[in-house]
Amino acid sequence: MNARAAALALSFCALASAAIYVFFFTLPYPVLQYYATPLLDLGKLTQHAQLDALAFMAAHTTLFVLYVAALLLTRTLDARTLRWIAFAAPVLFCLVLVFTFPIGAIDVYDYAFHSKMLAFYHVSPAAHVPNEFASDTWFKFIAWRSAASPYGPIWIYLSALIYFLAGGDLLLSLLGFKLLEALALLACGVLVYWLVRHERARDALSAFVFVAWNPLLLGEMAMNGHNDVLMILCVLIAWCCFQRKYFVSSVIALVMGALIKAPALALAPVLGIAVLRALPSWRMRARFVVSAGVAALAVLLLAYAPLWSGDNPFATLIAHQDLFTTSPAAVAWHTLELRMDADAAKSLVRVAALLIFCVAYVRVLWNVNGTFISLARSSLTVMLLLLVVVTFWFQPWYLVWVVPLAPLATRADEAFAVVFSWSALWDYFIFDFAWFWNFDFFNQGDSLVLNASAMLLIFLPPLIYWLSTRLRAPVFAARTIGASLSSAARD
């Protein structure tokens, strides 16, 4: 395919995708119309109708088909015209989705309320709960009323800044958060483009498309406004610093990511080992440990000092680990609950999951070396382990922990992330639609059937793909060896 034909095909993918976002999301669910109605979601807006469920999944599946086509086109060619289209299209997608009501989750309202707690009431949302301000006009919009903010201080300060910029207006605050997450997603795409261009230049454009065109990430960030993308943006900044051998700066960037949302902490040992193995002498390693340790401690103290109240800053985050929904751990808990005490079953599942994670984590750390590709692959594996094994309360937007890291690793990892991104959307199909069609069926076994159905639809497709790649590898190796032996025999 020549550059002109590829540009026309990519333009079609972009315009068709934009049309789907407009006609299936923004027009049916305009934020300007629905933002002032408390506690809405996709199920309530559609009244759990079967036709709307079909439209939701069909629209997203079509978006993924167009997304894969765009990936293939940008892998084939990297012409200047294609670059313009590839970079402009997600900007258009984000502008459309920012004005769409957050149909997937209303966390953005909680962000807005927490921002008001700090900026208007002058209390830390990490130490106080929204119930203390039940008379506030925004209180009726939030879901987590008895919980403090589970996020880090950097996110809390950013939230307060958005409140000030919005002038204390709820709609402008919501749009501000959504715009911030959309910009962060685009920035992730640009950083991935830079990182991949340094390693394998011909894949850089498709790497940008892989992140910035991903329908799940666009919906969860630009439409639903989740803040996970800011955490992964800091991770990518850290990896950029590592690639350019600014090792202390990479640690600072990673710490800042963890001060937005805690999962970034899981990558700290990976980065530390990668740096230590990249440095050529023990003196340089010792200097790095001291410098990075002092810098990280300084960032932590500066970030937490204004919000410190004497309470455990991770208390809310720890409490969230008691929530079991959709994940493999949730299915295991509900299954054990049929035969033993619920709390005992939950403790058993939690211990088993942590043990599995720790064993796999140690194996990952053992294989880390000082190269960028090792850091990229190891960080992707760690975030997948975190998501699948010890994230007991799975949500579709958590895929942003994984997707931007996949282009830094291998093509097989990219394909896995695409499948997982699409299958994660079945969470909405089950919880916003199918559950309401047959309560008695899905609520069997204290919601065992509900969680098992969602877990299978979400995790089975990527698991099948992963197994297929593992099975193909030995077959390919055997064929290669056989061909080599045959060639040697002929010679």
Side-chain angles (χ1 to χ4, degrees):
M1 182 182 291
N2 59 41
R4 180 182 177 84
L8 288 173
L10 189 62
S11 297
F12 171 79
C13 292
L15 293 174
S17 297
I20 292 172
Y21 287 126
V22 169
F23 290 105
F24 284 85
F25 297 96
T26 305
L27 291 181
Y29 315 112
V31 69
L32 298 180
Q33 179 179 342
Y34 291 117
Y35 85 94
T37 303
L39 304 178
L40 285 179
D41 58 27
L42 178 62
K44 292 175 182 177
L45 286 166
T46 59
Q47 298 182 345
H48 318 293
Q50 294 182 1
L51 186 60
D52 288 301
L54 178 63
F56 178 81
M57 291 308 301
H60 271 109
T61 300
T62 305
L63 284 169
F64 268 93
V65 171
L66 295 167
Y67 166 58
V68 171
L71 281 173
L72 295 175
L73 286 167
T74 50
R75 280 179 182 172
T76 305
L77 293 169
D78 189 5
R80 182 178 180 182
T81 306
L82 263 68
R83 287 197 295 272
W84 276 105
I85 299 169
F87 278 91
V91 176
L92 175 61
F93 302 157
C94 287
L95 288 175
V96 169
L97 289 171
V98 162
F99 291 96
T100 306
F101 184 81
I103 58 176
I106 56 171
D107 288 1
V108 67
Y109 283 93
D110 289 80
Y111 300 163
F113 196 88
H114 291 154
S115 73
K116 190 173 185 179
M117 287 173 63
L118 181 61
F120 184 78
Y121 292 109
H122 306 295
V123 300
S124 169
H128 296 264
V129 298
N131 274 337
E132 298 175 35
F133 309 95
S135 61
D136 190 276
T137 54
W138 293 10
F139 183 77
K140 60 186 177 183
F141 295 99
I142 63 174
W144 299 90
R145 298 177 177 180
S146 59
S149 171
Y151 308 115
I154 290 181
W155 171 251
I156 292 173
Y157 301 141
L158 285 173
S159 300
L161 177 61
I162 290 176
Y163 179 86
F164 280 121
L165 293 175
D169 181 80
L170 177 60
L171 175 59
L172 292 180
S173 292
L174 299 178
L175 293 175
F177 282 109
K178 284 152 64 70
L179 182 60
L180 175 64
E181 315 308 348
L183 291 174
L185 178 61
L186 295 175
C188 284
V190 172
L191 287 176
V192 168
Y193 176 86
W194 285 341
L195 286 164
V196 173
R197 187 175 64 175
H198 188 76
E199 300 294 322
R200 47 186 200 281
R202 67 176 186 176
D203 291 335
L205 184 60
S206 66
F208 172 82
V209 171
F210 187 88
V211 176
W213 284 52
N214 185 287
L216 175 70
L217 300 192
L218 283 164
E220 297 298 352
M221 306 309 147
M223 180 171 64
N224 295 333
H226 291 292
N227 63 4
D228 302 68
V229 69
L230 285 167
M231 177 196 76
I232 208 68
L233 176 63
C234 290
V235 171
L236 292 172
I237 293 172
W239 281 198
C240 283
C241 293
F242 176 89
Q243 192 182 61
R244 288 154 181 78
K245 302 188 184 306
Y246 301 136
F247 295 137
V248 175
S249 298
S250 69
V251 171
I252 293 173
L254 187 61
V255 169
M256 293 183 69
L259 291 174
I260 292 173
K261 199 164 183 177
L265 275 176
L267 297 177
V270 179
L271 176 61
I273 292 175
V275 172
L276 291 175
R277 292 194 171 179
L279 293 171
S281 70
W282 285 106
R283 177 176 294 180
M284 295 178 71
R285 291 168 188 161
R287 187 182 304 161
F288 163 75
V289 169
V290 173
S291 301
V294 170
L297 182 61
V299 171
L300 287 169
L301 291 175
L302 288 172
Y304 270 111
L307 301 175
W308 184 252
S309 64
D311 298 327
N312 180 4
F314 303 107
T316 303
L317 182 64
I318 294 170
H320 274 64
Q321 291 301 304
D322 200 49
L323 302 172
F324 282 63
T325 303
T326 307
S327 62
V331 174
W333 171 52
H334 283 294
T335 303
L336 291 174
E337 190 183 15
L338 300 176
R339 296 181 175 273
M340 58 190 298
D341 176 73
D343 290 336
K346 188 174 286 187
S347 297
L348 180 61
V349 170
R350 188 182 289 111
V351 170
L354 289 173
L355 181 61
I356 293 170
F357 176 79
C358 289
V359 170
Y361 189 60
V362 169
R363 183 177 178 182
V364 172
L365 294 179
W366 182 263
N367 293 322
V368 175
N369 58 41
T371 64
F372 176 78
I373 188 63
S374 173
L375 175 66
R377 290 176 177 172
S378 299
S379 60
L380 175 62
T381 303
V382 166
M383 296 310 275
L384 271 172
L385 286 170
L386 198 67
L387 182 63
V388 175
V389 179
V390 292
T391 299
F392 305 142
W393 190 57
F394 175 86
Q395 297 295 340
W397 55 89
Y398 294 166
L399 263 296
V400 77
W401 305 355
V402 171
V403 173
L405 300 177
L408 309 181
T410 67
R411 287 280 176 85
D413 294 316
E414 288 186 8
F416 175 86
V418 170
V419 173
F420 206 170
S421 297
W422 172 79
S423 66
L425 291 164
W426 287 99
D427 181 272
Y428 294 116
F429 177 84
I430 292 293
F431 285 95
D432 285 306
F433 297 106
W435 186 13
F436 296 88
W437 300 339
N438 195 331
F439 273 107
D440 294 335
F441 171 74
F442 284 106
N443 288 337
Q444 293 180 78
D446 191 21
S447 300
L448 171 61
V449 174
L450 174 67
N451 280 277
S453 300
M455 191 271 290
L456 286 173
L457 287 171
I458 293 168
F459 289 92
L460 192 57
L463 176 61
I464 291 173
Y465 175 81
W466 182 81
L467 290 174
S468 72
T469 60
R470 294 303 180 272
L471 292 174
R472 283 201 304 267
V475 172
F476 177 77
R479 288 176 178 174
T480 303
I481 293 171
S484 299
L485 291 174
S486 298
S487 177
R490 286 195 300 270
D491 293 340

